[in-house]
């Protein structure tokens, strides 16, 4: 069965520093997609970045990058140059299948606090 | 380009009452998803539509829950005979299957349900 594990309930980072949020996953499928979402206190889930299981390069979107280690089944999110507005809950999610629809399985989230 | 919208944003009801929530997806998106999120947890999948067809339902979705997407556009989620355990944030997401992209799900602001 699919499972996403985020082992850091809470993280602190100094403004302008980089931070890594951990995510490990479990699946028996060869084809899958990994996602990171940000959820500020307002509640809306904001898509950040996507990595496909067959993508050879790590995904990057602006200050976000995904450190994908397939053999270790990890998909850590790296946020560079943290900003105060980055303070939020961050969720890692997985969808089985590649480039197709289907449910997302979410981890329990990591609460990131950025200190000025 | 408007995002996913949900109505109402907040609902307070008494145990035993029926409630209905509405979700309007991004206009060209053909897939629509419902999730439920309780405090401190990641979202849990409830059900998923492609156009008007309901393709998957979670075992979490008891007989008291029903969802429709009658014309493949907006969707409704109804909960009959609400229970206190139904108190949660109900999130709607939509996506468009377009290769080579990722079928990324974009979320609405959610409906927060409180059952007294």
């Amino acid at each position: 069965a699919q499972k996403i594990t985020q082992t850091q309930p809470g993280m602190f980072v100094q403004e302008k520093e980089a931070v890594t949020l951990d995510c490990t996953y479990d699946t028996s499928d060869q084809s899958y997609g990994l996602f990171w979402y940000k959820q500020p206190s307002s509640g809306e889930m904001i898509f950040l970045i996507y990595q496909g299981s067959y993508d050879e390069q790590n995904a990057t979107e602006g200050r976000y990058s995904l450190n994908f280690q397939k053999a270790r089944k990890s998909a850590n999110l790296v946020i560079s140059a943290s900003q105060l507005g980055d303070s939020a809950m961050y969720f890692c999610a997985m969808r089985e299948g590649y480039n197709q629809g289907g449910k997302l399985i979410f981890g329990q989230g990591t609460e990131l606090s950025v200190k000025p | 380009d408007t995002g996913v919208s949900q109505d109402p944003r907040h609902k307070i009801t008494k145990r035993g009452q029926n409630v209905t929530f509405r979700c309007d997806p991004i206009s060209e998106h053909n897939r629509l998803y419902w999730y439920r999120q309780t405090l401190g947890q990641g979202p849990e999948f409830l059900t998923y539509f492609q156009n008007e067809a309901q393709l998957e339902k979670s075992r979490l979705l008891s007989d008291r829950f029903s969802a429709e997407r009658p014309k493949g556009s907006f969707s409704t989620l109804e909960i009959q005979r609400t229970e206190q355990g139904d108190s949660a944030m109900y999130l709607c997401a939509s996506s468009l299957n377009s290769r080579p992209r990722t079928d990324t799900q974009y979320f609405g602001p959610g409906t927060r349900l409180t059952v007294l």
Side-chain angles (χ1 to χ4, degrees):
Chain A
Q2 296 180 25
K3 187 177 180 182
I4 294 284
T5 302
Q6 294 181 255
T7 56
Q8 306 154 313
M11 290 278 288
F12 289 92
V13 65
Q14 204 69 34
E15 193 178 8
K16 300 180 185 177
E17 302 267 311
V19 63
T20 298
L21 306 184
D22 293 342
C23 172
T24 58
Y25 60 91
D26 190 18
T27 180
S28 54
D29 263 26
Q30 296 301 309
S31 300
Y32 50 88
L34 296 158
F35 299 79
W36 278 91
Y37 286 85
K38 172 184 178 181
Q39 189 176 41
S41 56
S42 58
E44 187 163 349
M45 299 284 284
I46 302 167
F47 167 70
L48 296 178
I49 196 166
Y50 164 83
Q51 180 86 41
S53 58
Y54 293 121
D55 294 343
E56 294 185 350
Q57 293 196 336
N58 286 343
T60 59
E61 292 281 355
R63 294 187 298 111
Y64 305 107
S65 60
L66 201 151
N67 183 1
F68 181 46
Q69 298 187 46
K70 194 170 181 177
R72 297 180 63 182
K73 293 191 174 179
S74 75
N76 298 339
L77 177 70
V78 181
I79 306 174
S80 63
S82 297
Q83 302 171 356
L84 295 178
D86 294 335
S87 294
M89 285 292 292
Y90 288 81
F91 290 96
C92 180
M94 177 171 63
R95 185 196 63 223
E96 285 183 339
Y98 194 69
N99 277 356
Q100 64 188 53
K103 64 188 176 191
L104 293 175
I105 304 297
F106 285 85
Q108 293 210 316
T110 295
E111 184 172 12
L112 178 66
S113 298
V114 180
K115 294 181 173 180
Chain B
D1 185 23
T2 56
V4 178
S5 61
Q6 293 187 245
D7 184 66
R9 295 290 307 275
H10 303 273
K11 179 72 177 178
I12 299 173
T13 191
K14 292 182 179 178
R15 190 176 53 185
Q17 298 292 305
N18 299 344
V19 294
T20 299
F21 309 142
R22 177 178 170 127
C23 171
D24 286 88
I26 294 171
S27 59
E28 68 271 23
H29 284 188
N30 61 339
R31 293 178 172 152
L32 188 147
Y33 306 79
W34 286 98
Y35 293 84
R36 178 172 65 190
Q37 185 179 24
T38 53
L39 204 59
Q41 303 292 319
E44 292 177 300
F45 170 77
L46 293 178
T47 190
Y48 146 54
F49 293 85
Q50 179 160 305
N51 300 313
E52 61 273 13
Q54 189 172 20
L55 295 190
E56 188 175 354
K57 284 173 62 172
S58 166
R59 282 169 286 180
L60 293 175
L61 213 62
S62 77
D63 292 344
R64 297 185 296 106
F65 288 71
S66 63
E68 292 184 343
R69 194 182 182 199
K71 296 184 179 179
S73 56
F74 72 92
S75 175
T76 58
L77 177 69
E78 182 183 16
I79 309 174
Q80 296 181 328
R81 305 181 303 281
T82 52
E83 302 173 355
Q84 287 183 326
D86 297 331
S87 295
M89 175 79 91
Y90 289 83
L91 294 166
C92 177
S94 70
S95 70
L96 175 65
N97 179 24
S98 60
R99 294 178 180 273
R101 282 303 293 158
T102 65
D103 199 50
T104 297
Q105 294 179 29
Y106 295 93
F107 283 79
T111 295
R112 184 168 295 283
L113 173 66
T114 302
V115 181
L116 301 177

